[in-house]
Each structure stands twice: as C-alpha cells, then as structure tokens.
Amino acid sequence: MKVKHGFIGFGNLAKAVYQGLKEEENIEFAYFARSQREAAIPYYERIEDLVAFADVIWLMVKPQDLSSVLEELKPLDRTGKTIVSPVAGRTIVFIERYFGQTQLIVRIMPNLAMAYRKSVTAFATNQPDNENAAEIFTLLGKLGKAVQLEESGFDLFTAVFGSGPAFILSFIQIFKDKMQEFNLPGALLDELLLELTQGTTLYFTQNQKSYSIEQLIQNITSKGGTTQAGLDYFRTHEIGKHFEGILDAARKRSEEMSKDGN
C-alpha cells in the first residue's frame, strides 16, 4: 500500500525532499501551492483536496505564513494523518495550539542536501511511541543522517546544519576570490575548488575514525612551512571565534523566531 505525501508549498525544500524520495517505491506525491504549478507531481487547486489525498502532510511554507495555513487546516479532517514541519522557529507546541495534542506532529530541521540524500536532519515529535512517527524517522534516514533531538537543541542545530551549507560555501567563495589572481576562467576555478573540497571531505571520511580533526590538520602541517604560517595567523587573530560568532548569530535569530512563534 502506497503512502501518500502531500506538500503544502512547493519551494526549494519541498523539491529537495521530492528529488531525494522520488525513486522510492510505495510513495505517492502531490502538492498544493498558491504560486505557479510544477509539472513534476500532481497538483491540487484546493488545500482541502490535498489534505484528503495525503497520509503525510508537509508544511513547506515560510514562518510568517504558517499561522494562516494552520487556520485553513484546523477545520479539516486530519484523522490518522502525520504533520511534518520543517518551519524554522515554530515549535510543536505552536502547531498543537491549532490541532491539539492528539495530532501526530513531527518537527524536522533538514537542509537542501536532501535532494542528494546527504542532509543532516534533526527530528522531534510529540508522540515518540507512534509507529507513523518512526516511519518518518526511517524515511529521513534515506535522505542522509537523521538524529532524534530535543527541541531545545533545534536553534543551534539550525545554525550548524540548516544554515551551515551557506556558511561553508561563503568560505569557499573567499578562496575563489583570492584565486582570481590566477587569471583563470571562473568555471575552471569552481572545478578546482570542487576537487579541493571533495578531496578534503574524502580525507576526513577515510580517517575520522582513527584521528581527531586536530590530528588530521597536524598531518598536513610541516613545521615552519606554508600551512603552519597560515594556521599561526588563523590562531593569532582568533579567526575561529569569528566563525563561532557566525553560528551564534544564526542561533540567536532562530531563538528570536522561536519566541515570536510561541
């Protein structure tokens, strides 16, 4: 028997989930959105028709739009259905105010790497013993790494894993900007940086069980060499604290959004 998944909204994250799961057997997809239609999966013009179709309802909307969507869903028959929310800063309690505590709600915090089955996704639910919640956790595991987490940890998780890809890409952009001195085509610079990041990731992957990150850094570093000079600058100027500040700023914003949504 196929499980029917319905997206309310079909933006980048919904597309990433669909991309990551579209080859799975026993899953059907459909969506409702007020913007332009997408040809990939069936579209419903009315939200009540999507709810009638779906066993699992994904709330793929912006935080400021969630309340109005929940108001629309509140009078509809949601018996036996699972609500999945990746909406930043909106807690399970916030959704329960509209649906009550008997409604199965799963809160997640993924990233767009779901499309490639490489997301790191936080998972929390108001019914941890519910088999349908366990099925969602298993499904998330097919899209990367899923971890059960108390909601109190979602703000930091959002900063590291939700926003993290943008921060890492920003760091890579610094490399690219510096490499403009080579006078090479931008596309080639991207290829070189991709090779650098993939090689570094592979180096980490192959050795992380035997060595700490600090040890892996030391393995690359020769005393008095170029890497040592760069790392000395990194540490002397406390660059690491600046990176921590980036994560702290993102976490603080998530905390503010959570307060606004409570």
Side-chain angles (χ1 to χ4, degrees), residues 49-106:
D49 292 333
L50 179 82
V51 172
F53 159 84
D55 302 306
V56 180
I57 301 169
W58 296 73
L59 303 176
M60 298 300 207
V61 298
K62 296 178 180 179
Q64 61 267 29
D65 298 327
L66 183 60
S67 292
S68 61
V69 169
L70 295 178
E71 286 286 0
E72 289 186 73
L73 294 175
K74 187 175 180 179
L76 303 179
D77 184 8
R78 292 166 278 98
T79 305
K81 299 181 186 293
T82 304
I83 305 295
V84 179
S85 173
V87 182
R90 296 297 182 265
T91 63
I92 289 174
V93 170
F94 179 85
I95 299 173
E96 285 179 336
R97 290 191 186 125
Y98 295 84
F99 297 161
Q101 296 181 350
T102 58
Q103 176 72 62
L104 173 57
I105 300 167
V106 171

Side-chain angles (χ1 to χ4, degrees), residues 4-255:
K4 299 175 180 178
H5 291 251
F7 300 115
I8 298 178
F10 201 61
N12 291 333
L13 184 56
K15 292 173 184 175
V17 173
Y18 171 70
Q19 184 68 27
L21 294 176
K22 66 180 182 180
E23 302 301 329
E24 288 291 314
E25 297 181 357
N26 300 321
I27 295 181
E28 289 185 29
F29 294 98
Y31 81 102
F32 162 83
R34 295 184 174 85
S35 58
Q36 66 183 29
R37 302 179 186 181
E38 301 283 342
I41 61 175
Y43 168 83
Y44 285 96
E45 294 187 352
R46 303 193 313 161
I47 196 170
E48 49 264 46
D49 292 333
L50 179 82
V51 172
F53 159 84
D55 302 306
V56 180
I57 301 169
W58 296 73
L59 303 176
M60 298 300 207
V61 298
K62 296 178 180 179
Q64 61 267 29
D65 298 327
L66 183 60
S67 292
S68 61
V69 169
L70 295 178
E71 286 286 0
E72 289 186 73
L73 294 175
K74 187 175 180 179
L76 303 179
D77 184 8
R78 292 166 278 98
T79 305
K81 299 181 186 293
T82 304
I83 305 295
V84 179
S85 173
V87 182
R90 296 297 182 265
T91 63
I92 289 174
V93 170
F94 179 85
I95 299 173
E96 285 179 336
R97 290 191 186 125
Y98 295 84
F99 297 161
Q101 296 181 350
T102 58
Q103 176 72 62
L104 173 57
I105 300 167
V106 171
R107 185 185 176 193
I108 65 173
M109 179 47 60
N111 59 45
L112 294 180
M114 276 187 157
Y116 319 108
R117 295 192 164 205
K118 289 294 184 181
S119 177
V120 180
T121 304
F123 169 97
T125 180
N126 62 343
Q127 297 181 26
D129 296 327
N130 191 304
E131 290 185 2
N132 291 335
E135 289 177 4
I136 296 297
F137 184 78
T138 299
L139 196 64
L140 294 172
K142 296 180 179 181
L143 296 171
K145 298 290 186 182
V147 56
Q148 297 190 44
L149 194 69
E150 295 291 334
E151 277 195 283
S152 59
F154 265 56
D155 294 317
L156 178 57
F157 194 96
T158 300
V160 175
F161 295 105
S163 303
F167 302 151
I168 293 171
L169 286 169
S170 295
F171 189 70
I172 294 172
Q173 182 66 50
I174 296 172
F175 276 56
K176 183 177 181 180
D177 291 344
K178 190 63 176 176
M179 288 167 60
Q180 299 297 331
E181 297 179 17
F182 294 148
N183 292 319
L184 295 174
L188 178 56
L189 294 180
D190 286 342
E191 290 180 18
L192 295 175
L193 286 168
L194 185 59
E195 200 72 15
L196 171 65
T197 53
Q198 288 180 334
T200 304
T201 301
L202 184 59
Y203 170 62
F204 182 35
T205 301
Q206 296 293 329
N207 294 283
Q208 56 90 18
K209 290 184 178 180
S210 301
Y211 300 96
S212 67
I213 292 176
E214 184 60 35
Q215 288 173 321
L216 292 177
I217 293 171
Q218 290 175 2
N219 291 343
I220 304 170
T221 307
S222 298
K223 186 176 180 180
T226 58
T227 305
Q228 183 67 62
L231 290 174
D232 286 347
Y233 183 94
F234 186 98
R235 289 159 182 159
T236 300
H237 292 80
E238 298 184 323
I239 304 298
K241 287 189 176 181
H242 291 286
F243 282 111
E244 286 185 25
I246 293 170
L247 297 175
D248 288 339
R251 175 168 62 177
K252 181 179 179 182
R253 180 56 188 144
S254 180
E255 290 170 348

